[in-house]
Amino acid sequence: MTLDERTKPAPQSGRPAAAATAKRILPLPVTGQEFVLIGVLIVLWILLGIFTPAFLTPNSIQPLLVSVAPIALIGIGMTFIIITAGIDVSVGGAIMLCAVIVAKTLVSADIPLIGAVALAVAVGLVLGLVNGFLIAYGRVAAIIITFGTANIFQFLALRVFGSSTVNGIPSTLEVFGRGEAGRTLGVPNSFAIMIIIAAVAWWYLRHASGGRHLFAIGGNANAARLVGIKVQPRVLIAYALTGALVGLGACFILASGTATLDQSVGSGKELQVIAAVVIGGTSILGGRGSVIGTVLGAILVQTVTSGVTQLGWPSQLANLFVGIFIIIAVGTDLLRERARRKA
Amino acid sequence: MTLVNETTHIQVPKNPKKRGGRSVLSRGVEALLTNRVVLLAVLIVVVLVVMTILDSAGQLSGAYNADYLASSLISAVPLAMLGMAQLLVILSGKGGIDLSVGSIVSLTGILFGFAYGPGGWDFVPALILAVVAGGVFGAVNGVLIAYIGFPPLIATLATYYAYRSLALVISNQKPVSSESIQNFYSAAQSVEIPVIGATIPLIPLGIFTFLIPTIIVVWIVLNKTTFGRRLYAIGTNDVAAQWSGINVRPNRMAVYAISGVISGLVSVVTVAQFASARPDAGTSGNGMALPAITIAVLGGVAITGGIGRVSGIVLATLLIVWLNAGILLALPGNDGSQFQLLALGLVLVFASLLNGLTKRKYGGI
């Protein structure tokens, strides 16, 4: 950590900031970066609506929301982690392990929906606790530890897989799926659940003392410790929460596919999630971020992916746009920060 | 402790108590933990001994001998080179890391493939193209990080996406190949070293043409040039470096450009190894960045910057490569590659825990 980072005050922590937010939430619970994102999304949707007439129809929007749900859901947990100045790149491996354990269990035993979800969340929670424990109490760089555990989770998942695919998964999870059974009043259930969890997470980060502590830890962990915040348990909880959300997200992903699960299930998901979070305005250096931004970021990433396919462009081009969006989103934020410091 | 008893029995000055009453054992442990080169050398010997014992007990599917170890060095070429790239960027501090190396390998490999294959360029211009292109792609990271202030993780994540996408799109997701590229496979083969060649096993050519020159250049840059000294200074404390008259930004940008140059060189190596330019050469599976970062951390590079040595990278690569080669013989096929994942993960977790422990206990790596 360099001098100028250390001397920077922890943003948005403590009383005055809380009072300011309380004033701000009354009209609209969104801030600068989020307005920009909403604007970009509206422009994108209008453009896509013009160039691909099928885009702004329920048949196109509903699958889009289904694909947003797991990314945004896991992104909520990742937002908590990144606010504490951490990161978790083991999400892909964890999704793979949760999904294959649930899929294998569903194939071999007749368990109800609630059992399957509980199993996935429990597995994810354990994986998150492993990460959190190593990072909080081992006091090592989160990116290195989670790179390591990513490999270990992936290894375990491949051992559970046994063969390259799991076939004939029963439709127990279809209430989270793309089909008719996965919707209530036209809104995908998985998306609705994600929004509810996002609302709770938003409230927790903005108004609960535990949430405020996460910002303080990310702003300056040593200062947070000195004012009496229990840093290690809070960090542990952030990773454990992400693990649990990975479990639920794995159920969503499992439900949105066919009755076959293959080994590519989690591949690249960690980067998609991190992309959604940073596009949503959460600072990778910690201390600043929002759940609403993450949800919007996830919608943006999936809109781009879906839009590229619907325009008939090579699907791989979507990644180029995601990369460009990351640079634009983080770049404008950096320039704004610089202007603010000069002013 | 029996120290007191021993001294009373022996009653000679050469008792194990020295400097603050520490035993030979505790000093040995300190040397092992604080000097990463010693630790890695010991671990390499342990791997070699264990595998040789397994071999003589008939537990391996093939012979774990000098020939096998020498031929397995083929995978050390890209690993050690990219480990060297990560050494430079992580050294530069402020969260320095390069996730985009694999994508740069893919993209420059495709450019090299188009030039050398269908383009009909000669080898040297095509190689220069790959190196220059790699440097430019790395410099993009460098500008974002050093001049605009992007966190390295985010800048290289974005370019990881962008370069990977470009590699797949411009190649139409198909490998680029031609007769000249297939003949280029000879560059990845093993050769006999002149003079002493008959007495030692055949060594992959890439070790001499790519890896050793890279090691030497990086070592000289880090240890014998002012740029290298500046890099350690910036990585340790960039504000202090700024005040001592170092222009931090161009130096920080340069390491990312160098990382790109090394990735460009690696792309030529991988084209030779696959006998075609694959658009996913650096990103398939877990990609090349993860093993490279593992090598760097295992080699004793401090993730906070400012600490790290070339020798650590070289020994860490040998450890990983020979461990992987042994795993492949002990558990052939799918099992082997799965257990390689486990080994890499465990090694990374333990290496970083060890780095943290040594730092707390002895200060520094």
Side-chain angles (χ1 to χ4, degrees), chain A residues 60-155:
Chain A
S60 170
I61 299 283
Q62 281 161 347
L64 173 68
L65 296 184
V66 172
S67 70
V68 165
I71 299 297
L73 190 68
I74 300 167
I76 294 167
M78 190 72 85
T79 309
F80 278 51
I81 289 178
I82 294 182
I83 282 174
T84 68
I87 196 148
D88 184 353
V89 294
S90 72
V91 161
I95 289 173
M96 193 173 161
L97 186 52
C98 291
V100 71
I101 287 177
V102 171
K104 281 261 178 178
T105 312
L106 284 173
V107 167
S108 60
D110 185 26
I111 57 168
L113 173 71
I114 191 80
V117 173
L119 177 65
V121 171
V123 173
L125 184 65
V126 170
L127 303 182
L129 282 171
V130 170
N131 279 334
F133 190 79
L134 285 170
I135 291 161
Y137 295 94
R139 284 189 275 171
V140 283
I143 183 165
I144 300 298
I145 281 294
T146 54
F147 259 138
T149 53
N151 273 14
I152 297 168
F153 297 165
Q154 213 182 332
F155 162 80

Side-chain angles (χ1 to χ4, degrees), chain A residues 320 323-324 327, chain B residues 97-98 100 104 107 132-152 154-160 162-163 166 249 252-261:
Chain A
L320 177 62
I324 292 172
I327 291 176
Chain B
I97 201 157
D98 193 345
S100 71
I104 298 183
L107 183 52
V132 170
V136 170
F137 298 140
V140 171
N141 288 332
V143 169
L144 291 174
I145 292 161
Y147 287 95
I148 308 184
F150 275 70
I154 292 308
T156 58
L157 175 71
T159 53
Y160 161 86
Y163 297 156
L166 285 175
R249 282 180 173 165
R252 177 162 280 141
M253 187 189 129
V255 286
Y256 288 91
I258 296 172
S259 173
V261 165

